[in-house]
Amino acid sequence: MSRVLLGVMTLSCAVHADWTNPFPVKKCNGVVIEDIDIDTVQGYFTSGLLTSQQLTQCYVDRITLLNPYFHTVIEINPDALSIASSLDTERLESGPRGPLHGIPILTKDNIATADKVRTTAGSLALLNSTVPRDSHVAALLRLNGAVLLGHANLAEFADYIAYDDYSEGYSDRGGQTRNCFNATQQTSGSSSGSAQSVVCNLCMAAIGTETDGSILLPAMHAGIIGIKPTVGRVSRAGVIPGSLSQDTVGPHARTFRDAAYLLDAISGVDARDNATFRALLSGASTHANFSDAVANASALRGAKFGIPWDVLWSSTAGAVTHRPAFLDVFRQMEAAGAILYNNTNIPRIRELQDPYGWGDALDTPMELWARTYLHVDLYNGLDEYLNGLESSPIRSFEELLAWEDTNNASTGALGGGEIWVSGADNFLRANATHGVIDEGYYLAKLWRHELSKAGIDTALTHIDADGNLIQLDGLLVPMAGAGPYDSPSSGLPAAAHYPAVTLPVGQDPWQLPFGLGIWGPEFSEAQLIRFGSAIDDLVRWRGRPQHYNYDTTKIPFDPRWPGFFDTPA
Ligand SMILES: *[C@@H]1O[C@H](CO)[C@@H](O)[C@H](O)[C@H]1NC(C)=O
Ligand SMILES: *[C@@H]1O[C@H](CO)[C@@H](O)[C@H](O)[C@H]1NC(C)=O
Ligand SMILES: *[C@@H]1O[C@H](CO)[C@@H](O)[C@H](O)[C@H]1NC(C)=O
Ligand SMILES: *[C@@H]1O[C@H](CO)[C@@H](O)[C@H](O)[C@H]1NC(C)=O
Ligand SMILES: *[C@@H]1O[C@H](CO)[C@@H](O)[C@H](O)[C@H]1NC(C)=O
Ligand SMILES: *[C@@H]1O[C@H](CO)[C@@H](O)[C@H](O)[C@H]1NC(C)=O
Ligand SMILES: *[C@@H]1O[C@H](CO)[C@@H](O)[C@H](O)[C@H]1NC(C)=O
Ligand SMILES: *[C@@H]1O[C@H](CO)[C@@H](O)[C@H](O)[C@H]1NC(C)=O
């Protein structure tokens, strides 16, 4: 661990020496399970120190204890214990199916599971709906022997019900997801409950979804690993959509190896999601062994990374505030043999990216804003999903909007007594498009998609002083946004449909973790896992949440401290 990071942590420990963590992770059947990884658990299962049923019970107990404060889980699977028990029996009789055998996993509440747990994207409107079948992802997790522990809380409809009148990580069913490091500080979203459940030790790992930032950003503020796969790597069939153009599904975990085990299990071709055929067309292996790609710091020797300094590092709040810590990580990487190239900039980034945070650039002509096509996708995607439900009182996007409008999304009835009336401003905008796919839709979507792809591809190709072309292994980006401005480091890979990963590298004086992201070309997940795990092995930042302010009822979160947004001269 670096001197700079130690300095920050020492400061916070010194200042808060009087605080005692109210929720230490208890031993499970006499075994330490805090921050345990999948290989270690499999070892305990094999030696008989622990059974899947015992571990599942320990997580259920911990969820029951913490959820009234942190609201990271919407619903526990009432059959989880019996499923774990039958997997224990199966292991004794015929051995484990693989690394996920008996491993308790939470899935975000927009990923359909055909079990007793309802799938609602956090909305009360879908409480009485039943799904026709498991989502492809849930089916694959079951096939691999995972215990589906329940559904994680999220920002309602993955942040697509409201942009203006909302609180990040809030849903009517689940209430306000809180950050386990400091409950008055933000979680980011929309897979807020998935990420916080992982760092809070409420499950072994979790699955989230992303349209633009929803896996990467909550992973950043939970201090864990997040992998946002290429669109088409993982099937979206049975996932309540935000935008079928750019939705993807991916893991949240405490280590790259655990995340890779999950990605190994859930990726592949699915006839119900034709985007998954892109993996075949592009020549990418559909049976990639991602856990095989996990490396140690020695993999950094000779590896080449670009630093797209312009905007991403130069003007965004978190990158500027945490610059000393980031520069220290760069120094460590160079000492380990990595070659860093500065100013491998993204062409036209000021048109594609708000220079201070998440979202469209104000300079971008309105008709080319991402929401031009995202609103149409939202209308059509939800229409198709609702229409395909096994049974539901709500069958179309307009019926859903009418319900939300009448009932006004919310008193937090199931969410622990917190009151927050979330708006439906984004649903109203989507409604105004009537889902019509016209020239404007294609123009905005293709413009952004092509420019984002070209931007990342160009930045990955460095031309040195002698005119030599150097193909870089990845682009390093800051994962450090906060307050009303979230991190900018998700918009380009989202629109390009490219993969990205984040790993934790530090923690700020108010306890919020921040991370380092890596971008690569499409279907480069194995490469990103290789280098992400190598940097993680080098930096080894591991935060233990102390649950400060756990009993707060503030909604929304506090902003960051004054001066956080100061940009450099
Ligand atoms: C769901 O069913 C309950 C009980 O029948 C009813 O009170 C509630 O209004 C229903 N909600 C929706 C969204 O259909
Ligand atoms: C792919 O699937 C979508 C959604 O189910 C469908 O609308 C579209 O027609 C399909 N495309 C092809 C080329 O089959
Ligand atoms: C993946 O790689 C690991 C490590 O090399 C190996 O143990 C495992 O059998 C491989 N899995 C598959 C499915 O090929
Ligand atoms: C790191 O990985 C390399 C390549 O797999 C291996 O040879 C080396 O022993 C590993 N080092 C450590 C410290 O594990
Ligand atoms: C990258 O270059 C910019 C100027 O173009 C400079 O301000 C910045 O300090 C450099 N960053 C690193 C890490 O060298
Ligand atoms: C819904 O919210 C709007 C404004 O946000 C308010 O005018 C209206 O009274 C609310 N309706 C209900 C049923 O709560
Ligand atoms: C949604 O749009 C339809 C027209 O397609 C309109 O009739 C309806 O009132 C709109 N819903 C709301 C809540 O504005
Ligand atoms: C938690 O965040 C609040 C602001 O929301 C801040 O005042 C407080 O100092 C933070 N707590 C710790 C222990 O850092």
Side-chain angles (χ1 to χ4, degrees):
M1 183 179 291
S2 75
R3 236 173 337 109
V4 170
L5 300 184
L6 262 180
V8 170
M9 291 184 66
T10 309
L11 174 74
S12 44
C13 290
V15 170
H16 306 285
D18 55 333
W19 179 261
T20 308
N21 180 355
F23 304 110
V25 184
K26 291 191 191 119
K27 285 185 182 172
C28 183
N29 199 43
V31 175
V32 173
I33 59 162
E34 182 168 20
D35 294 345
I36 201 168
D37 64 18
I38 288 176
D39 284 351
T40 307
V41 169
Q42 289 298 348
Y44 292 158
F45 286 166
T46 305
S47 67
L49 266 181
L50 209 55
T51 64
S52 171
Q53 190 183 14
Q54 286 164 342
L55 182 61
T56 303
Q57 182 68 60
C58 290
Y59 284 136
V60 168
D61 291 347
R62 189 162 165 82
I63 292 169
T64 308
L65 183 69
L66 268 70
N67 219 45
Y69 304 102
F70 292 92
H71 306 293
T72 66
V73 177
I74 281 197
E75 198 169 339
I76 295 174
N77 182 357
D79 293 330
L81 288 169
S82 62
I83 291 169
S85 162
S86 64
L87 285 162
D88 285 332
T89 307
E90 183 188 313
R91 173 189 297 271
L92 288 174
E93 287 168 355
S94 50
R97 296 184 201 177
L100 294 187
H101 191 117
I103 298 294
I105 303 288
L106 284 167
T107 52
K108 188 175 176 179
D109 189 45
N110 60 355
I111 300 173
T113 52
D115 50 24
K116 289 179 187 150
V117 182
R118 290 160 290 186
T119 304
T120 67
S123 169
L124 296 168
L126 296 185
L127 257 190
N128 300 338
S129 310
T130 54
V131 299
R133 65 186 78 80
D134 269 340
S135 58
H136 195 65
V137 165
L140 286 174
L141 288 171
R142 283 190 216 277
L143 189 70
N144 281 275
V147 176
L148 296 188
L149 184 58
H151 284 190
N153 199 5
L154 73 171
E156 193 162 323
F157 284 104
D159 270 330
Y160 283 98
I161 185 166
Y163 281 162
D164 303 336
D165 183 14
Y166 86 119
S167 177
E168 187 61 277
Y170 177 87
S171 77
D172 288 342
R173 275 192 76 203
Q176 180 65 63
T177 314
R178 297 209 174 268
N179 195 304
C180 291
F181 288 87
N182 186 345
T184 54
Q185 288 290 296
Q186 73 153 308
T187 57
S188 278
S190 65
S191 308
S192 319
S194 302
Q196 290 297 327
S197 294
V198 170
V199 78
C200 244
N201 281 281
L202 302 175
C203 57
M204 281 297 298
I207 303 284
T209 65
E210 168 150 347
T211 311
D212 180 352
S214 283
I215 292 171
L216 297 171
L217 306 183
M220 142 184 104
H221 281 332
I224 58 164
I225 309 302
I227 301 178
K228 179 258 179 196
T230 309
V231 175
R233 174 67 83 183
V234 180
S235 168
R236 291 87 47 87
V239 177
I240 300 178
S243 156
L244 287 176
S245 302
Q246 58 187 56
D247 286 350
T248 185
V249 186
H252 276 152
R254 294 188 288 262
T255 69
F256 267 102
R257 184 172 298 280
D258 288 2
Y261 284 144
L262 284 183
L263 193 57
D264 276 338
I266 65 176
S267 56
V269 172
D270 173 20
R272 291 187 196 278
D273 178 4
N274 52 34
T276 57
F277 290 95
R278 291 180 63 239
L280 285 178
L281 291 172
S282 77
S285 166
T286 52
H287 298 286
N289 187 336
F290 295 114
S291 44
D292 208 19
V294 174
N296 62 37
S298 74
L300 293 174
R301 208 166 303 128
K304 305 181 184 76
F305 299 98
I307 303 174
W309 191 264
D310 186 32
V311 171
L312 293 173
W313 289 98
S314 66
S315 67
T316 60
V320 173
T321 298
H322 301 306
R323 184 165 292 163
F326 282 121
L327 292 178
D328 190 63
V329 171
F330 293 166
R331 273 194 297 275
Q332 290 183 64
M333 289 176 66
E334 286 178 327
I339 308 163
L340 305 191
Y341 299 89
N342 192 8
N343 290 309
T344 62
N345 293 326
I346 309 279
R348 303 178 69 173
I349 186 146
R350 283 183 167 72
E351 287 169 69
L352 292 165
Q353 178 61 58
D354 182 323
Y356 302 106
W358 187 91
D360 283 309
L362 288 172
D363 293 352
T364 310
M366 198 75 176
E367 68 271 18
L368 295 175
W369 279 31
R371 40 178 89 180
T372 309
Y373 64 92
L374 290 178
H375 287 153
V376 176
D377 284 348
L378 184 63
Y379 185 106
N380 292 326
L382 282 174
D383 229 25
E384 189 182 326
Y385 177 86
L386 295 166
N387 189 44
L389 286 171
E390 181 73 17
S391 69
S392 177
I394 291 166
R395 280 286 175 192
S396 69
F397 176 78
E398 289 193 14
E399 284 174 23
L400 174 64
L401 173 60
W403 190 92
E404 295 285 1
D405 200 43
T406 310
N407 294 279
N408 245 13
S410 156
T411 53
L414 305 182
E418 294 168 335
I419 307 289
W420 169 263
V421 176
S422 153
D425 55 83
N426 207 45
F427 270 12
L428 288 169
R429 291 188 198 100
N431 195 45
T433 73
H434 306 310
V436 173
I437 296 179
D438 57 12
E439 249 176 60
Y441 170 92
Y442 284 118
L443 185 65
K445 187 162 122 174
L446 283 176
W447 179 84
R448 186 164 296 276
H449 179 57
E450 295 302 332
L451 276 191
S452 298
K453 279 198 328 183
I456 295 174
D457 292 345
T458 305
L460 281 165
T461 310
H462 180 69
I463 299 170
D464 73 9
D466 301 328
N468 298 312
L469 251 169
I470 299 166
Q471 201 57 44
L472 302 176
D473 293 310
L475 300 176
L476 303 176
V477 297
M479 299 298 303
Y485 290 108
D486 220 321
S487 177
S489 299
S490 64
L492 273 110
H497 307 169
Y498 282 7
V501 300
T502 180
L503 62 125
V505 296
Q507 186 177 23
D508 73 26
W510 281 0
Q511 315 300 323
L512 265 197
F514 54 91
L516 180 69
I518 317 177
W519 293 354
E522 70 172 358
F523 297 111
S524 64
E525 286 87 346
Q527 186 177 317
L528 297 183
I529 287 168
R530 175 173 162 80
F531 293 117
S533 57
I535 300 171
D536 191 46
D537 181 48
L538 182 72
V539 176
R540 286 189 172 274
W541 186 85
R542 294 288 181 270
R544 290 256 161 98
Q546 297 300 312
H547 310 287
Y548 290 107
N549 295 328
Y550 66 93
D551 54 357
T552 184
T553 52
K554 275 187 184 173
I555 302 178
F557 305 112
D558 285 342
R560 307 321 316 283
W561 57 83
F564 189 87
F565 298 108
D566 289 354
T567 51

